[in-house]
């Protein structure tokens, strides 16, 4: 069973940057598509970014409004870590950030929570103004 552990969150001032990491254990997941979601207090979990499986080209997809500031990538050498680089952080980016895996569809633009079948516990990102 694959387990995901996010790290890298924290408190940062507006305009700063963070790099979130998502480490997988249990088995290699290089050909799984991986996604990042976030959930702000009182709001639904929302899609942020997705990267297709390494053998499927590693294509990336982003939510509107973040594509200029967020970059998703994966560690092809280790093949078990996915990153989310966030630049120019703003208070509205405050949320718990989750990584998630899509075992059954290594390609394609999939943005719904139910399309991902395993999740990490999340890492808190708080941006102060």
């Amino acid at each position: 069973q694959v387990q995901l552990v996010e790290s890298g969150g924290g408190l940062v001032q507006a305009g700063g940057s963070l790099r979130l990491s998502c480490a997988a254990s249990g088995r290699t997941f290089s050909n799984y598509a991986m996604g990042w979601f976030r959930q702000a207090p009182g709001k639904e979990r929302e899609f942020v970014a997705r990267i297709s499986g390494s053998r499927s080209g590693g294509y990336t997809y982003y939510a509107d409004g973040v594509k200029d500031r967020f970059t998703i990538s994966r560690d092809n050498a280790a093949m078990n870590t996915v990153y989310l680089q966030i630049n120019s952080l703003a208070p509205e980016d405050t949320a718990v950030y989750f990584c998630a895996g899509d075992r059954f569809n290594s390609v394609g633009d999939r943005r719904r929570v139910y399309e991902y079948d395993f999740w990490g516990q999340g890492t808190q990102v708080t941006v102060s103004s």
Side-chain angles (χ1 to χ4, degrees), residues 9-74:
L11 174 63
V12 63
Q13 288 189 332
S17 298
L18 283 174
R19 188 174 82 156
L20 307 183
S21 300
C22 172
S25 62
R27 61 180 296 174
T28 300
F29 72 126
S30 61
N31 204 41
Y32 296 164
M34 298 297 294
W36 283 96
F37 289 74
R38 66 184 180 184
Q39 188 166 18
K43 295 189 176 181
E44 293 187 351
R45 194 169 298 189
E46 65 175 0
F47 170 80
V48 172
R50 172 181 168 96
I51 186 166
S52 64
S54 296
R55 284 181 278 165
S56 302
Y59 294 104
T60 57
Y61 308 87
Y62 296 95
D64 292 340
V66 306
K67 61 180 66 177
D68 293 332
R69 300 187 295 118
F70 288 31
T71 303
I72 188 172
S73 61
R74 65 194 309 156

Side-chain angles (χ1 to χ4, degrees), residues 2 4 12 17 28 40-41 43 49 58-59 65 78 80 89 95 107 114 117:
V2 179
L4 302 177
V12 63
S17 298
T28 300
K43 295 189 176 181
Y59 294 104
N80 66 347
L89 278 154
V107 298
Y114 68 80
D117 54 301

Side-chain angles (χ1 to χ4, degrees), residues 104-124:
F104 302 110
N105 295 276
S106 63
V107 298
D109 186 358
R110 292 160 61 87
R111 303 177 178 229
R112 295 177 175 84
V113 170
Y114 68 80
E115 292 175 324
Y116 294 78
D117 54 301
F118 55 99
W119 293 79
Q121 83 291 345
T123 186
Q124 176 71 47

